[in-house]
Amino acid sequence: MENVLMADYEETPLFDVDILAALDMSEAQVKFAPGFTWQKPNEHLNVRPLSSGDYERGYIQLLSQLTEVGHVSQTDFTARFQSMKMCNDTYYIIVIEDSSINKVIASSTLVVEQKFIHSTGKRGRFEDVVVESGYRGLQLGKSLIEISTALAKYIDCYKVSFECKEKLVKFYSRFGYEEDGNHYMVQRFHN
């Protein structure tokens, strides 16, 4: 993948854009429509890491289509972005930007845990997959799942997992994911 977008402006990506360029997508589990490429789904859509300027491109508004976000100011965004960036090899947020309107329209997150088990291995957790409502049905969610899965493999995670609603199990199984019999327990302290 060429650095289509990152070369165009002076912003900080959350992780090295060359990592996306190095991904081997030949093992993708699902097929895409003819002409669709995961690197550049169309002439205006670019796949890249979250950037320090994405607050202004609607990243927080996009997340609100997934869950309650609360009030996040630009200062809050910048502080969290810097905090995540300082955790080397931990946070991989992938976005798709519609460059024709300068807006982030899809995103997914891969969080990597450093472990002592599995010979000091790494475990990936896949979270926060969201596609702007007006862009659904364009295979962008499928693309983000495949990219995140390939990324977890590339950075040598021994496994990658995620939580999903029962009604989505069949959908995610198309990507090679399977139920492992574990039940995730949650205790919420606030929204």
PDB file of all heavy atoms in Angstrom, residues 170-189:
ATOM      1  N   LYS A 170     -22.555 -15.540  13.554  1.00  0.00           N
ATOM      2  CA  LYS A 170     -22.506 -16.114  12.207  1.00  0.00           C
ATOM      3  C   LYS A 170     -21.725 -15.200  11.250  1.00  0.00           C
ATOM      4  O   LYS A 170     -20.922 -15.674  10.443  1.00  0.00           O
ATOM      5  CB  LYS A 170     -23.930 -16.347  11.691  1.00  0.00           C
ATOM      6  CG  LYS A 170     -23.981 -17.034  10.349  1.00  0.00           C
ATOM      7  CD  LYS A 170     -25.409 -17.322   9.925  1.00  0.00           C
ATOM      8  CE  LYS A 170     -25.440 -17.946   8.550  1.00  0.00           C
ATOM      9  NZ  LYS A 170     -26.794 -18.181   8.080  1.00  0.00           N
ATOM     10  N   PHE A 171     -21.946 -13.890  11.353  1.00  0.00           N
ATOM     11  CA  PHE A 171     -21.232 -12.941  10.508  1.00  0.00           C
ATOM     12  C   PHE A 171     -19.724 -13.051  10.720  1.00  0.00           C
ATOM     13  O   PHE A 171     -18.961 -13.189   9.768  1.00  0.00           O
ATOM     14  CB  PHE A 171     -21.719 -11.510  10.787  1.00  0.00           C
ATOM     15  CG  PHE A 171     -20.907 -10.447  10.103  1.00  0.00           C
ATOM     16  CD1 PHE A 171     -21.054 -10.217   8.749  1.00  0.00           C
ATOM     17  CD2 PHE A 171     -19.998  -9.683  10.818  1.00  0.00           C
ATOM     18  CE1 PHE A 171     -20.301  -9.236   8.107  1.00  0.00           C
ATOM     19  CE2 PHE A 171     -19.242  -8.701  10.187  1.00  0.00           C
ATOM     20  CZ  PHE A 171     -19.399  -8.480   8.827  1.00  0.00           C
ATOM     21  N   TYR A 172     -19.283 -13.011  11.972  1.00  0.00           N
ATOM     22  CA  TYR A 172     -17.845 -13.039  12.260  1.00  0.00           C
ATOM     23  C   TYR A 172     -17.222 -14.396  11.959  1.00  0.00           C
ATOM     24  O   TYR A 172     -16.028 -14.478  11.666  1.00  0.00           O
ATOM     25  CB  TYR A 172     -17.567 -12.617  13.697  1.00  0.00           C
ATOM     26  CG  TYR A 172     -17.684 -11.130  13.893  1.00  0.00           C
ATOM     27  CD1 TYR A 172     -18.721 -10.582  14.644  1.00  0.00           C
ATOM     28  CD2 TYR A 172     -16.763 -10.261  13.325  1.00  0.00           C
ATOM     29  CE1 TYR A 172     -18.829  -9.204  14.811  1.00  0.00           C
ATOM     30  CE2 TYR A 172     -16.860  -8.889  13.483  1.00  0.00           C
ATOM     31  CZ  TYR A 172     -17.898  -8.368  14.229  1.00  0.00           C
ATOM     32  OH  TYR A 172     -18.002  -7.005  14.394  1.00  0.00           O
ATOM     33  N   SER A 173     -17.994 -15.453  11.978  1.00  0.00           N
ATOM     34  CA  SER A 173     -17.436 -16.771  11.660  1.00  0.00           C
ATOM     35  C   SER A 173     -16.982 -16.839  10.200  1.00  0.00           C
ATOM     36  O   SER A 173     -16.088 -17.618   9.857  1.00  0.00           O
ATOM     37  CB  SER A 173     -18.441 -17.879  11.972  1.00  0.00           C
ATOM     38  OG  SER A 173     -19.549 -17.811  11.117  1.00  0.00           O
ATOM     39  N   ARG A 174     -17.533 -16.009   9.343  1.00  0.00           N
ATOM     40  CA  ARG A 174     -17.093 -15.951   7.939  1.00  0.00           C
ATOM     41  C   ARG A 174     -15.631 -15.534   7.811  1.00  0.00           C
ATOM     42  O   ARG A 174     -15.000 -15.782   6.793  1.00  0.00           O
ATOM     43  CB  ARG A 174     -17.957 -14.969   7.142  1.00  0.00           C
ATOM     44  CG  ARG A 174     -19.389 -15.381   7.054  1.00  0.00           C
ATOM     45  CD  ARG A 174     -20.254 -14.441   6.262  1.00  0.00           C
ATOM     46  NE  ARG A 174     -19.590 -13.249   5.783  1.00  0.00           N
ATOM     47  CZ  ARG A 174     -20.220 -12.172   5.341  1.00  0.00           C
ATOM     48  NH1 ARG A 174     -21.528 -12.133   5.323  1.00  0.00           N
ATOM     49  NH2 ARG A 174     -19.564 -11.130   4.907  1.00  0.00           N
ATOM     50  N   PHE A 175     -15.098 -14.873   8.840  1.00  0.00           N
ATOM     51  CA  PHE A 175     -13.726 -14.379   8.816  1.00  0.00           C
ATOM     52  C   PHE A 175     -12.751 -15.342   9.495  1.00  0.00           C
ATOM     53  O   PHE A 175     -11.606 -15.004   9.736  1.00  0.00           O
ATOM     54  CB  PHE A 175     -13.650 -13.015   9.509  1.00  0.00           C
ATOM     55  CG  PHE A 175     -14.495 -11.976   8.844  1.00  0.00           C
ATOM     56  CD1 PHE A 175     -15.814 -11.780   9.243  1.00  0.00           C
ATOM     57  CD2 PHE A 175     -13.994 -11.205   7.813  1.00  0.00           C
ATOM     58  CE1 PHE A 175     -16.605 -10.828   8.626  1.00  0.00           C
ATOM     59  CE2 PHE A 175     -14.782 -10.254   7.188  1.00  0.00           C
ATOM     60  CZ  PHE A 175     -16.098 -10.065   7.587  1.00  0.00           C
ATOM     61  N   GLY A 176     -13.243 -16.538   9.833  1.00  0.00           N
ATOM     62  CA  GLY A 176     -12.383 -17.523  10.467  1.00  0.00           C
ATOM     63  C   GLY A 176     -12.428 -17.502  11.985  1.00  0.00           C
ATOM     64  O   GLY A 176     -11.713 -18.252  12.639  1.00  0.00           O
ATOM     65  N   TYR A 177     -13.265 -16.668  12.559  1.00  0.00           N
ATOM     66  CA  TYR A 177     -13.405 -16.610  14.014  1.00  0.00           C
ATOM     67  C   TYR A 177     -14.385 -17.687  14.462  1.00  0.00           C
ATOM     68  O   TYR A 177     -15.324 -18.008  13.747  1.00  0.00           O
ATOM     69  CB  TYR A 177     -13.904 -15.229  14.459  1.00  0.00           C
ATOM     70  CG  TYR A 177     -12.842 -14.170  14.311  1.00  0.00           C
ATOM     71  CD1 TYR A 177     -12.739 -13.415  13.152  1.00  0.00           C
ATOM     72  CD2 TYR A 177     -11.932 -13.929  15.331  1.00  0.00           C
ATOM     73  CE1 TYR A 177     -11.753 -12.456  13.007  1.00  0.00           C
ATOM     74  CE2 TYR A 177     -10.945 -12.972  15.192  1.00  0.00           C
ATOM     75  CZ  TYR A 177     -10.858 -12.236  14.023  1.00  0.00           C
ATOM     76  OH  TYR A 177      -9.874 -11.298  13.888  1.00  0.00           O
ATOM     77  N   GLU A 178     -14.155 -18.226  15.631  1.00  0.00           N
ATOM     78  CA  GLU A 178     -15.056 -19.241  16.169  1.00  0.00           C
ATOM     79  C   GLU A 178     -15.252 -19.017  17.661  1.00  0.00           C
ATOM     80  O   GLU A 178     -14.403 -18.442  18.336  1.00  0.00           O
ATOM     81  CB  GLU A 178     -14.499 -20.634  15.906  1.00  0.00           C
ATOM     82  CG  GLU A 178     -13.082 -20.829  16.385  1.00  0.00           C
ATOM     83  CD  GLU A 178     -12.468 -22.120  15.868  1.00  0.00           C
ATOM     84  OE1 GLU A 178     -12.643 -22.442  14.687  1.00  0.00           O
ATOM     85  OE2 GLU A 178     -11.807 -22.786  16.678  1.00  0.00           O
ATOM     86  N   GLU A 179     -16.389 -19.476  18.132  1.00  0.00           N
ATOM     87  CA  GLU A 179     -16.661 -19.399  19.567  1.00  0.00           C
ATOM     88  C   GLU A 179     -15.725 -20.358  20.279  1.00  0.00           C
ATOM     89  O   GLU A 179     -15.511 -21.475  19.814  1.00  0.00           O
ATOM     90  CB  GLU A 179     -18.113 -19.767  19.850  1.00  0.00           C
ATOM     91  CG  GLU A 179     -19.103 -18.766  19.277  1.00  0.00           C
ATOM     92  CD  GLU A 179     -20.527 -19.138  19.609  1.00  0.00           C
ATOM     93  OE1 GLU A 179     -20.990 -18.769  20.691  1.00  0.00           O
ATOM     94  OE2 GLU A 179     -21.148 -19.820  18.762  1.00  0.00           O
ATOM     95  N   ASP A 180     -15.168 -19.913  21.406  1.00  0.00           N
ATOM     96  CA  ASP A 180     -14.246 -20.792  22.123  1.00  0.00           C
ATOM     97  C   ASP A 180     -14.803 -21.279  23.451  1.00  0.00           C
ATOM     98  O   ASP A 180     -14.090 -21.864  24.252  1.00  0.00           O
ATOM     99  CB  ASP A 180     -12.886 -20.130  22.326  1.00  0.00           C
ATOM    100  CG  ASP A 180     -12.909 -18.982  23.304  1.00  0.00           C
ATOM    101  OD1 ASP A 180     -13.986 -18.618  23.797  1.00  0.00           O
ATOM    102  OD2 ASP A 180     -11.831 -18.437  23.592  1.00  0.00           O
ATOM    103  N   GLY A 181     -16.077 -21.051  23.690  1.00  0.00           N
ATOM    104  CA  GLY A 181     -16.710 -21.555  24.907  1.00  0.00           C
ATOM    105  C   GLY A 181     -16.558 -20.637  26.107  1.00  0.00           C
ATOM    106  O   GLY A 181     -17.134 -20.886  27.154  1.00  0.00           O
ATOM    107  N   ASN A 182     -15.774 -19.577  25.967  1.00  0.00           N
ATOM    108  CA  ASN A 182     -15.625 -18.640  27.080  1.00  0.00           C
ATOM    109  C   ASN A 182     -16.781 -17.658  27.090  1.00  0.00           C
ATOM    110  O   ASN A 182     -17.310 -17.277  26.047  1.00  0.00           O
ATOM    111  CB  ASN A 182     -14.316 -17.861  26.970  1.00  0.00           C
ATOM    112  CG  ASN A 182     -13.113 -18.737  27.209  1.00  0.00           C
ATOM    113  OD1 ASN A 182     -13.159 -19.647  28.029  1.00  0.00           O
ATOM    114  ND2 ASN A 182     -12.032 -18.468  26.504  1.00  0.00           N
ATOM    115  N   HIS A 183     -17.155 -17.257  28.253  1.00  0.00           N
ATOM    116  CA  HIS A 183     -18.182 -16.235  28.409  1.00  0.00           C
ATOM    117  C   HIS A 183     -17.521 -15.015  29.021  1.00  0.00           C
ATOM    118  O   HIS A 183     -16.788 -15.126  29.995  1.00  0.00           O
ATOM    119  CB  HIS A 183     -19.314 -16.727  29.320  1.00  0.00           C
ATOM    120  CG  HIS A 183     -20.030 -17.901  28.745  1.00  0.00           C
ATOM    121  ND1 HIS A 183     -20.992 -17.775  27.780  1.00  0.00           N
ATOM    122  CD2 HIS A 183     -19.905 -19.222  28.972  1.00  0.00           C
ATOM    123  CE1 HIS A 183     -21.431 -18.967  27.444  1.00  0.00           C
ATOM    124  NE2 HIS A 183     -20.785 -19.867  28.156  1.00  0.00           N
ATOM    125  N   TYR A 184     -17.754 -13.886  28.436  1.00  0.00           N
ATOM    126  CA  TYR A 184     -17.177 -12.658  28.957  1.00  0.00           C
ATOM    127  C   TYR A 184     -18.096 -12.078  30.011  1.00  0.00           C
ATOM    128  O   TYR A 184     -19.289 -11.931  29.796  1.00  0.00           O
ATOM    129  CB  TYR A 184     -16.940 -11.643  27.831  1.00  0.00           C
ATOM    130  CG  TYR A 184     -15.839 -12.079  26.916  1.00  0.00           C
ATOM    131  CD1 TYR A 184     -16.104 -12.792  25.764  1.00  0.00           C
ATOM    132  CD2 TYR A 184     -14.517 -11.789  27.242  1.00  0.00           C
ATOM    133  CE1 TYR A 184     -15.082 -13.211  24.931  1.00  0.00           C
ATOM    134  CE2 TYR A 184     -13.472 -12.210  26.420  1.00  0.00           C
ATOM    135  CZ  TYR A 184     -13.768 -12.910  25.271  1.00  0.00           C
ATOM    136  OH  TYR A 184     -12.748 -13.315  24.461  1.00  0.00           O
ATOM    137  N   MET A 185     -17.537 -11.772  31.133  1.00  0.00           N
ATOM    138  CA  MET A 185     -18.280 -11.183  32.232  1.00  0.00           C
ATOM    139  C   MET A 185     -17.889  -9.706  32.298  1.00  0.00           C
ATOM    140  O   MET A 185     -16.742  -9.353  32.049  1.00  0.00           O
ATOM    141  CB  MET A 185     -17.927 -11.873  33.550  1.00  0.00           C
ATOM    142  CG  MET A 185     -18.122 -13.387  33.522  1.00  0.00           C
ATOM    143  SD  MET A 185     -19.809 -13.897  33.232  1.00  0.00           S
ATOM    144  CE  MET A 185     -20.545 -13.430  34.767  1.00  0.00           C
ATOM    145  N   VAL A 186     -18.846  -8.866  32.619  1.00  0.00           N
ATOM    146  CA  VAL A 186     -18.619  -7.420  32.637  1.00  0.00           C
ATOM    147  C   VAL A 186     -19.161  -6.849  33.933  1.00  0.00           C
ATOM    148  O   VAL A 186     -20.227  -7.250  34.394  1.00  0.00           O
ATOM    149  CB  VAL A 186     -19.317  -6.736  31.438  1.00  0.00           C
ATOM    150  CG1 VAL A 186     -19.171  -5.235  31.514  1.00  0.00           C
ATOM    151  CG2 VAL A 186     -18.782  -7.272  30.127  1.00  0.00           C
ATOM    152  N   GLN A 187     -18.449  -5.908  34.492  1.00  0.00           N
ATOM    153  CA  GLN A 187     -18.950  -5.122  35.609  1.00  0.00           C
ATOM    154  C   GLN A 187     -18.733  -3.662  35.238  1.00  0.00           C
ATOM    155  O   GLN A 187     -17.603  -3.207  35.134  1.00  0.00           O
ATOM    156  CB  GLN A 187     -18.188  -5.471  36.903  1.00  0.00           C
ATOM    157  CG  GLN A 187     -18.831  -4.867  38.125  1.00  0.00           C
ATOM    158  CD  GLN A 187     -18.123  -5.308  39.380  1.00  0.00           C
ATOM    159  OE1 GLN A 187     -17.288  -4.562  39.872  1.00  0.00           O
ATOM    160  NE2 GLN A 187     -18.452  -6.485  39.876  1.00  0.00           N
ATOM    161  N   ARG A 188     -19.804  -2.951  34.981  1.00  0.00           N
ATOM    162  CA  ARG A 188     -19.704  -1.535  34.581  1.00  0.00           C
ATOM    163  C   ARG A 188     -19.724  -0.658  35.818  1.00  0.00           C
ATOM    164  O   ARG A 188     -20.538  -0.858  36.719  1.00  0.00           O
ATOM    165  CB  ARG A 188     -20.873  -1.142  33.685  1.00  0.00           C
ATOM    166  CG  ARG A 188     -20.753  -1.647  32.294  1.00  0.00           C
ATOM    167  CD  ARG A 188     -21.755  -0.902  31.404  1.00  0.00           C
ATOM    168  NE  ARG A 188     -21.805  -1.492  30.097  1.00  0.00           N
ATOM    169  CZ  ARG A 188     -21.027  -1.126  29.088  1.00  0.00           C
ATOM    170  NH1 ARG A 188     -20.163  -0.162  29.243  1.00  0.00           N
ATOM    171  NH2 ARG A 188     -21.132  -1.717  27.928  1.00  0.00           N
ATOM    172  N   PHE A 189     -18.854   0.334  35.834  1.00  0.00           N
ATOM    173  CA  PHE A 189     -18.812   1.293  36.929  1.00  0.00           C
ATOM    174  C   PHE A 189     -19.495   2.605  36.568  1.00  0.00           C
ATOM    175  O   PHE A 189     -19.906   3.336  37.425  1.00  0.00           O
ATOM    176  CB  PHE A 189     -17.383   1.521  37.386  1.00  0.00           C
ATOM    177  CG  PHE A 189     -16.733   0.258  37.860  1.00  0.00           C
ATOM    178  CD1 PHE A 189     -15.735  -0.359  37.120  1.00  0.00           C
ATOM    179  CD2 PHE A 189     -17.142  -0.340  39.038  1.00  0.00           C
ATOM    180  CE1 PHE A 189     -15.153  -1.542  37.554  1.00  0.00           C
ATOM    181  CE2 PHE A 189     -16.574  -1.517  39.489  1.00  0.00           C
ATOM    182  CZ  PHE A 189     -15.578  -2.122  38.749  1.00  0.00           C
TER     183      PHE A 189
END
